[in-house]
Amino acid sequence: MTSLDSATNPAHEVPDVSQLVVGVLGGTGDQGRGLALRLAKAGQQVIIGSRDAARAEASAAGLGLGVRGADNATVARESDVVIIAVPWDGHAATLTALREELAGKIVVDCVNPLGFDKQGAYALKPEEGSAAEQAAALLPDSRVTAAFHHLSAVLLQDESVETIDTDVMVLGDDRDATDVVRGLAARIPGMRGIFAGRLRNAHQVEALVANLISVNRRYKAHAGLRITDV
């Protein structure tokens, strides 16, 4: 039996997300800045955040495309969907400080808890199980999802690359929220958002980044993922 074509398989349907405001916390870092750029190029309203509002404003001005910059709390308040792209070592503190502002919002955690030594990158396992599960524990009034872990920051920021050929694994316990995130992924040319399970399965998705780093180093590449037969 073959899978249904994506045009007829209702599992591939996504909502219209074009009018949603997307905030990127950690938007001055490579991953956050790259995601902000790609979503803004697709026509999404984007605000990037930093602890330092002036730094966020300067980074937004560099991107153009109508991207705005503000402090993290303002971004959290003014956005419909908030992508968490902060460094792992600041993850818990950032979310704890923004619990009130993020209440009721769709939160997309793309943080990868990793360690590095002479042998390369390796996965860390947070006490909660994953960065996304830590986010869910710290933000009980938010709709937490996990996505955008396996994207090359280099490709995201390279405007000469028009298409990012990859699938985005989206996890979460709120199906409407994961559909919104899948819709955001689909706004970026070349990407698909693929539902990949509940939040309890986020650890292995986050951990896979350590393997991709090894692939990239060995093959001098910017590897992505494709899910076959879907």
Side-chain angles (χ1 to χ4, degrees):
M1 178 181 294
T2 59
S3 62
L4 291 170
D5 182 84
S6 60
T8 59
N9 187 339
H12 284 280
E13 295 177 0
V14 293
D16 179 5
V17 298
S18 60
Q19 299 305 308
L20 297 180
V21 178
V22 178
V24 184
L25 302 187
T28 58
D30 289 340
Q31 191 81 354
R33 180 181 171 85
L35 282 168
L37 173 65
R38 292 293 168 167
L39 288 169
K41 283 175 71 69
Q44 209 73 38
Q45 300 177 68
V46 178
I47 318 173
I48 61 175
S50 171
R51 289 176 297 179
D52 181 346
R55 185 181 177 198
E57 290 166 359
S59 184
L63 290 176
L65 300 168
V67 177
R68 294 188 289 128
D71 63 273
N72 284 336
T74 299
V75 172
R77 282 194 299 269
E78 295 185 2
S79 301
D80 302 301
V81 179
V82 180
I83 298 173
I84 310 301
V86 300
W88 167 240
D89 59 7
H91 184 260
T94 299
L95 298 186
T96 298
L98 297 172
R99 180 178 299 176
E100 182 176 341
E101 290 84 356
L102 290 171
K105 305 298 177 73
I106 295 177
V107 172
V108 188
D109 202 300
C110 67
V111 175
N112 302 304
L114 297 175
F116 295 86
D117 60 20
K118 292 181 179 179
Q119 298 182 63
Y122 60 94
L124 304 174
K125 188 161 188 178
E127 181 179 350
E128 297 86 353
S130 64
E133 287 171 292
Q134 182 183 87
L138 294 173
L139 304 172
D141 297 318
S142 300
R143 303 165 71 189
V144 176
T145 65
F148 300 118
H149 300 91
H150 305 137
L151 306 182
S152 164
V154 173
L155 293 183
L156 287 173
Q157 295 182 91
D158 186 347
E159 294 194 58
S160 71
V161 177
E162 297 182 358
T163 301
I164 307 287
D165 184 26
T166 192
D167 287 332
V168 173
M169 298 177 74
V170 182
L171 301 95
D173 300 329
D174 181 328
R175 188 60 60 86
D176 289 338
T178 58
D179 284 349
V180 167
V181 179
R182 289 175 51 236
L184 286 174
R187 298 271 286 164
I188 301 174
M191 287 191 193
R192 292 189 307 172
I194 301 293
F195 177 73
R198 292 184 174 272
L199 215 58
R200 68 182 183 181
N201 293 319
H203 169 69
Q204 54 264 40
V205 173
E206 296 170 2
L208 187 58
V209 174
N211 302 90
L212 289 177
I213 289 173
S214 297
V215 170
N216 289 337
R217 287 182 174 174
R218 177 65 177 85
Y219 295 97
K220 311 297 183 187
H222 302 292
L225 297 178
R226 276 297 188 200
I227 308 299
T228 63
D229 199 39
V230 173

